[in-house]
Each structure stands twice: as C-alpha cells, then as structure tokens.
Amino acid sequence: MDTYSPVVGIFTGGIWQIIGQLSAFGAFIFVILIVFSLVSWAIMFHKWRQFRRVDDESYIFLNYYRKAGKFGDLLPQAKALPQTPLSGIFLEGYEAIRELIGAAGGKNETEDKPLLLSPKDMEILEMSLERIRVEKVAGLEKKVIFLATTANASPFLGLLGTVVGIMDSFWSIGERGSASLAVVAPGIAEALLVTIIGLAAAIPAVIGYNWANNRLKRYNDESSNFVLEYLARIKRDLTA
C-alpha cells in the first residue's frame, strides 16, 4: 500500500501547487513572512561576520594596549582596528584627555614632564568614557532588534493566515453545500502552509536574537572592564 509523505510532496511539487493557489490575503502574509525570514538570515550572517571581526580586533588591541609604554604609541594600532569598541573608547578617551589638559593649560606631550589631570578632570573623564562606551556597544546592537520583531511577529502572522484559511474553507462549505475533502482541502492546506512558514521564520530569529544578545552582553562587560583598566592607568600615569 502506498503512503504519502509530506516531504515527498514538497519535492514532487505539491508545495508549489499550494503556493500557486493561495488567496490574495494568504499570498500577502506568505510574502511578508518570506521577507522577514530572508532579512533575518541576512542580519544573522552579517552579525556573525561582524562579531568575529570584533573578537579578533579586540584581542589584538588589548595585546597592543598592555604592551605600549605610552598612550601616544598606541594611536596607529588603535586607528587600524576600527571594528572593536575598545579602540574607539581609547581614541575618543585620548582626545578627551588632551582637551582636559589643554583647557587646564597643562604640559604638552613634547615636554619631559608628564601631563597631569586634577581630581575634577578625572571625574569628567570617567563620565565621558562611560558615555563613549555605551555609544560604541550600542553601535553593535544595530539591526539585532529586527530579529526580535521577526521572532515575535511571525507566529502571529502565521496564525492570522491560518485563521483566514480555515474561514475560507468554511465559506466554501457554505457556498457549495458540501463538506467534502475537495471543498475544504485548499483552505486547510493554505492555513497549514502559512503556519509552517511563520514558524520557519520565527524559530531561527529567536535563536539568532538570543545568540546576538549573549555576544552583546559579553562586549558590554568587556568594554566596562577596559574602561576601568584605562582609568586605572590614567590615574597612575597622568595624575599627581
């Protein structure tokens, strides 16, 4: 006895027949879900590449930072590593230090005496570094929110398509006065297809969103630790 497999049906063209017979509303929901899914996969791939570069550059930058004798010696390396938030924190923090010393009429870097910062300057610098840190980490969060939107909205869009498909089946029963499989099958098939597409869009987006959030939390902690290390070095080298 022959048995029907849904998987076989997909590869023998059954799925394409269902898509070709979608109602206008079902096709609208289907297209939205496909777009959500494609954009989500594109974002996940982009973030995977971006986060990999961030990891590599953070490792390189920290090695340079901990070996550098003076802040000025680190400038070329920091500028060459734009992906990691650590180099951005260092560079903008370095400019903030120069501005504070310039405003206070301090010594410039070409003189033998070290540049000095007052306790008030250190308080201002600490707040500036925290602001810079938040901005740099926030830059890595761009587009991740779309994954959350896809994860939350796709199942409901699929459910909406399911309800409409079932309503269409009942409407067909009322019009034709028959509850035969030939009458209800198209609406039920549409309903199930849209449900599957909704779940297929939502599940990877949930996984991708959780993965990205975990990495962002790690970058947040890493940048916070770097700010503390940076401030400790500034207090040691640039305060009286």
Side-chain angles (χ1 to χ4, degrees):
M1 181 178 179
D2 294 335
T3 58
Y4 176 77
S5 168
V7 176
V8 174
I10 291 174
F11 288 103
T12 56
I15 189 74
W16 303 113
Q17 292 178 6
I18 298 173
I19 293 173
Q21 296 174 2
L22 287 175
S23 65
F25 186 80
F28 176 70
I29 296 296
F30 180 83
V31 169
I32 291 177
L33 290 172
I34 291 296
V35 170
F36 272 30
S37 181
L38 292 176
V39 173
S40 295
W41 278 105
I43 290 173
M44 287 186 282
F45 180 69
H46 169 71
K47 287 300 174 183
W48 173 74
R49 293 185 62 189
Q50 183 184 26
F51 291 164
R52 189 174 63 173
R53 291 196 299 268
V54 169
D55 290 340
D56 292 342
E57 292 192 8
S58 294
Y59 177 78
I60 295 171
F61 174 79
L62 284 175
N63 281 337
Y64 280 131
Y65 176 81
R66 288 165 181 164
K67 292 177 183 178
K70 297 179 180 179
F71 287 149
D73 297 339
L74 190 58
L75 290 176
Q77 288 83 1
K79 291 176 181 177
L81 301 170
Q83 294 296 324
T84 172
L86 305 186
S87 63
I89 294 169
F90 171 79
L91 290 170
E92 293 191 31
Y94 183 81
E95 290 302 316
I97 293 171
R98 291 174 61 89
E99 289 176 7
L100 287 170
I101 292 174
K107 301 290 184 180
N108 62 48
E109 292 184 36
T110 60
E111 298 181 3
D112 294 334
K113 293 183 179 180
L115 305 174
L116 299 180
L117 296 172
S118 68
K120 182 180 178 181
D121 291 335
M122 286 300 303
E123 185 178 346
I124 294 172
L125 181 60
E126 185 173 351
M127 290 187 290
S128 297
L129 287 176
E130 180 60 21
R131 174 188 58 78
I132 295 165
R133 184 194 71 79
V134 171
E135 289 177 354
K136 296 302 179 183
V137 175
L140 297 176
E141 297 175 359
K142 290 180 180 178
K143 302 177 182 177
V144 172
I145 191 64
F146 187 86
L147 298 178
T149 301
T150 300
N152 290 324
S154 293
F156 291 103
L157 287 171
L159 179 60
L160 179 61
T162 300
V163 171
V164 172
I166 293 173
M167 287 176 60
D168 185 60
S169 294
F170 281 108
W171 181 264
S172 297
I173 292 174
E175 273 195 330
R176 302 184 186 182
S178 171
S180 66
L181 186 61
V183 173
V184 300
I188 298 299
E190 175 180 324
L192 295 177
L193 175 63
V194 176
T195 301
I196 292 170
I197 298 300
L199 293 174
I203 292 172
V206 170
I207 296 172
Y209 180 73
N210 290 334
W211 165 78
N213 259 357
N214 183 61
R215 296 294 288 271
L216 290 168
K217 182 180 181 300
R218 196 180 86 188
Y219 297 141
N220 186 66
D221 294 340
E222 187 179 67
S223 62
S224 293
N225 291 336
F226 176 71
V227 166
L228 293 176
E229 185 176 347
Y230 197 10
L231 286 170
R233 187 167 177 180
I234 292 169
K235 288 180 180 179
R236 183 192 68 193
D237 296 344
L238 301 179
T239 59

